[in-house]
Amino acid sequence: MVKWMKQVGENRYRETFGRYYEQFTVGDTYEHRPGKTVTEYDNHLFTLLTLNTHPHHFDNTYAAASEFKKNLVVSPYTLALMIGMSVSDCSQKALANLGMDEVKFTAPVFVGDTLYAESTVLGKRKSKSRPGQGIVTVLTQGFNQRGEMVCTFKRNMLMPEEGHAVDDKVEHY
């Protein structure tokens, strides 16, 4: 079970997030909340930050002539949002993201959609070269407000065992 509070003094507790390597169980699924309603600002900002100049993401007239009849949310934003939603449950204590595989965008996302995510633990193993650490693999899936899957990917994370996380070593964290 995740330790959400740690005692830091008499009658004093600090909020904490994330799991240690030992707290992941293969087959467990974590539903990430809250969801996020995508705004036009989100889509335009991410498009500009990444220099994505495809007009389908910001030109209403262009998008109206497409099969979708409206702007699409830029897909790397959807992926980034799903990763972000999963941090407090999966990778808050991670030492590193080791990679992502099988990234798929399975349905379009539009401004006004509310997205939710969940991650299922697919595997875990102790690191052979890093004592006190292990590798955890999760499958994260993103859904819109209608329950339609919009994104899916596998992610490998390097996780500390209990007592080996950065926040275990920093006094004020």
Side-chain angles (χ1 to χ4, degrees), residues 85-150:
M85 286 180 174
S86 71
V87 168
S88 64
D89 286 321
C90 295
S91 59
Q92 188 80 34
K93 292 189 184 320
L95 302 164
N97 277 311
L98 300 176
M100 281 174 259
D101 298 308
E102 300 177 36
V103 177
K104 296 180 179 131
F105 300 102
T106 54
V109 175
F110 302 104
V111 168
D113 282 348
T114 300
L115 301 182
Y116 301 92
E118 65 183 40
S119 296
T120 301
V121 181
L122 298 180
K124 64 185 254 188
R125 68 171 178 84
K126 290 196 175 206
S127 173
K128 296 173 186 161
S129 60
R130 294 174 163 259
Q133 300 174 12
I135 297 168
V136 176
T137 302
V138 297
L139 170 68
T140 300
Q141 298 173 306
F143 302 90
N144 64 20
Q145 69 277 7
R146 292 178 300 281
E148 299 163 336
M149 186 184 303
V150 298

Side-chain angles (χ1 to χ4, degrees), residues 12-25:
R12 189 172 186 86
Y13 302 88
R14 184 172 300 137
E15 187 175 37
T16 182
F17 294 97
R19 288 175 167 73
Y20 293 100
Y21 173 80
E22 297 90 340
Q23 294 170 318
F24 287 92
T25 301

